[in-house]
Amino acid sequence: MARVTLTNVRKTYPNGYVAVHDFNLDAADGEFVVFVGPSGCGKSTTLRMIAGLEDLTSGSISIGGRVVNDVHPKDRDIAMVFQNYALYPHMSVYDNMAFALKLRGMPKPEIDKRVRGAAQMLELGTLLDRKPKALSGGQRQRVAVGRAIVREPKAFLFDEPLSNLDAKLRITTRGELKSIHHRLKTTTIYVTHDQEEAMTLGDRIIVMAQGIIQQAAPPLQMYRRPANRFVASFVGTPPMNFLEGKIEREGSRLKFIEGSSDPEGQPYVIELPEAIAPKIEKLVGQPAVIGFRPQALSEARVPGGLGGQPTPEGASQLLVPITVVEPLGDVMDVFCSTPKHPRLVARIAARDGLTPGTRLALVLDPAGLHVFEPGDFGLCLTSA
């Protein structure tokens, strides 16, 4: 195991494009850190710099207390698992896993011990004589992981290793990866564009956009207290809903005015909790954005109607037309709209009778409200 530290790491290409801006990271011994973000955000470039496959423009990288800026990749004592497995098709599973150890000149008994130990851990023991073409996608990925494990490196680097697998196999394999990490306790840095993968695997998540770290935090902290609108929109399934409007004072209370009206002609107005008033005081009378997750919405109880629940004290109701309904079993995602915002999602208890073109009365839990400054990267004022 080893601590991996990046200090003010920057990557600028010859054409002047800055792929990574002043990246700082201190991954502790045995920590599982996940880089996540959209394509082109700089996450894979950062991983490749740690591996030595990309040169740094400035800054420093240390692994196990040793600065490795000028150290050749093979001498950094790291193991990397790629998206495309990179297995030798003419070699057996055993030989694929043993290849790097043979190049080191390791004694055969030690090679055999390591390969069979890793194969047992990964449930590959009965497949050691097979060639890659005789394996499933998940088995090939496990061979690639096993090839990394036998090297007993200071750190593992994973570059979107599950993106080629089907949805069901991705879920199974990421569970296996997490189990392996708990057993080995090796420092791991993992790159993915899938926020669900990041949430389930990481001890800590690094959300990146435009080559900049937007937030670094444990998964649940990031979900509950996003640093800005980008992070809030990227972390969580379905994504957070956002409404743009203004915050106004009415007596001693603050309200959010969305700026359009519901099907009955009533303006969309959302009561803001008193507890957050001091944090958002500067936005009174100014444009602002509120955010709330689909899970913060529930169906209201309408007189003479089906389903729903009473509106709690301090909660707001939204009457919205339904555009799409997606049943998911015991819950359903209901897509709605306002004249100003064409896409809102509510994840509510499933029931019959909700169809596109009908209206839905929703209750918004005030505890689930976030207030952001305007802009795609507007700061979340309620997370502080």
Side-chain angles (χ1 to χ4, degrees):
M1 294 188 292
R3 183 179 295 271
V4 177
T5 305
L6 283 72
T7 306
N8 299 325
V9 169
R10 184 180 182 89
K11 177 64 179 182
T12 305
Y13 287 101
N15 63 0
Y17 175 71
V18 182
V20 179
H21 298 255
D22 299 323
F23 191 101
N24 289 280
L25 170 69
D26 188 11
D29 278 358
E31 189 176 13
F32 198 124
V33 178
V34 180
F35 297 168
V36 66
S39 297
C41 70
K43 57 188 184 296
S44 288
T45 300
T46 304
L47 191 78
R48 290 172 63 82
M49 286 191 287
I50 297 171
L53 303 177
E54 289 270 5
D55 294 327
L56 286 69
T57 302
S58 60
S60 68
I61 296 175
S62 69
I63 300 173
R66 178 179 66 145
V67 175
V68 296
N69 290 25
D70 300 317
V71 176
H72 194 276
K74 70 180 180 64
D75 298 321
R76 295 193 179 196
D77 200 7
I78 52 95
M80 191 161 180
V81 179
F82 296 93
Q83 177 180 343
N84 62 0
Y85 318 142
L87 301 178
Y88 297 108
H90 63 288
M91 291 185 181
S92 66
V93 169
Y94 184 101
D95 290 335
N96 264 284
M97 293 173 64
F99 187 69
L101 304 183
K102 291 177 180 177
L103 289 181
R104 289 184 186 178
M106 187 174 288
K108 287 186 177 180
E110 179 63 19
I111 292 174
D112 190 68
K113 177 183 175 183
R114 291 195 186 188
V115 169
R116 295 191 183 279
Q120 182 178 3
M121 181 187 300
L122 296 167
E123 297 181 0
L124 295 171
T126 60
L127 306 176
L128 290 175
D129 294 330
R130 293 193 188 182
K131 301 286 178 62
K133 66 180 180 181
L135 305 177
S136 68
Q139 290 168 337
R140 292 177 194 174
Q141 190 56 275
R142 277 187 277 157
V143 174
V145 172
R147 184 176 54 191
I149 288 173
V150 298
R151 294 176 59 184
E152 298 183 0
K154 290 181 178 177
F156 289 128
L157 307 181
F158 289 88
D159 190 8
E160 303 201 38
L162 308 184
S163 59
N164 286 339
L165 304 181
D166 62 58
K168 184 177 180 180
L169 195 52
R170 275 203 304 274
I171 294 172
T172 303
T173 308
R174 78 183 181 212
E176 291 171 350
L177 287 177
K178 194 162 188 175
S179 176
I180 291 166
H181 178 258
H182 282 312
R183 279 180 277 176
L184 297 179
K185 306 291 186 186
T186 304
T187 308
T188 300
I189 299 176
Y190 187 104
V191 162
T192 181
H193 64 274
D194 185 333
Q195 60 86 22
E196 188 173 311
E197 229 172 78
M199 291 286 288
T200 54
L201 284 173
D203 298 322
R204 186 160 44 127
I205 301 174
I206 312 291
V207 175
M208 297 182 68
Q210 300 177 0
I212 299 169
I213 295 177
Q214 301 298 319
Q215 187 173 2
L220 289 181
Q221 180 182 327
M222 185 170 289
Y223 179 83
R224 293 168 180 162
R225 300 171 60 191
N228 59 31
R229 180 173 174 174
F230 177 84
V231 174
S233 68
F234 200 84
V235 174
T237 304
M240 184 178 284
N241 296 302
F242 297 99
L243 299 179
E244 298 179 359
K246 280 189 174 183
I247 293 176
E248 302 288 355
R249 185 182 297 282
E250 187 174 294
S252 62
R253 302 298 300 270
L254 296 183
K255 296 187 176 185
F256 176 83
I257 313 299
E258 189 258 2
S260 66
S261 299
D262 68 20
E264 295 183 352
Q266 297 298 312
Y268 286 113
V269 177
I270 293 175
E271 299 274 352
L272 299 177
E274 290 185 33
I276 68 172
K279 300 178 180 180
I280 62 175
E281 186 71 32
K282 70 176 184 176
L283 290 180
V284 173
Q286 303 295 320
V289 178
I290 64 166
F292 47 90
R293 299 201 179 276
Q295 294 85 347
L297 294 166
S298 56
E299 187 176 3
R301 179 175 293 165
V302 180
L306 297 173
Q309 62 181 37
T311 301
E313 184 178 352
S316 300
Q317 273 200 31
L318 301 171
L319 182 64
V320 288
I322 298 173
T323 55
V324 176
V325 177
E326 293 184 349
L328 300 171
D330 60 339
V331 296
M332 55 175 36
D333 286 346
V334 181
F335 291 75
C336 314
S337 66
T338 75
K340 190 177 173 184
H341 296 91
R343 187 184 185 279
L344 296 175
V345 186
R347 178 161 285 184
I348 63 174
R351 74 168 177 86
D352 295 328
L354 297 179
T355 57
T358 60
R359 300 173 182 180
L360 177 63
L362 293 169
V363 176
L364 173 56
D365 181 358
L369 273 173
H370 300 271
V371 180
F372 301 85
E373 294 178 340
D376 293 340
F377 294 89
L379 291 178
C380 183
L381 301 179
T382 50
S383 288

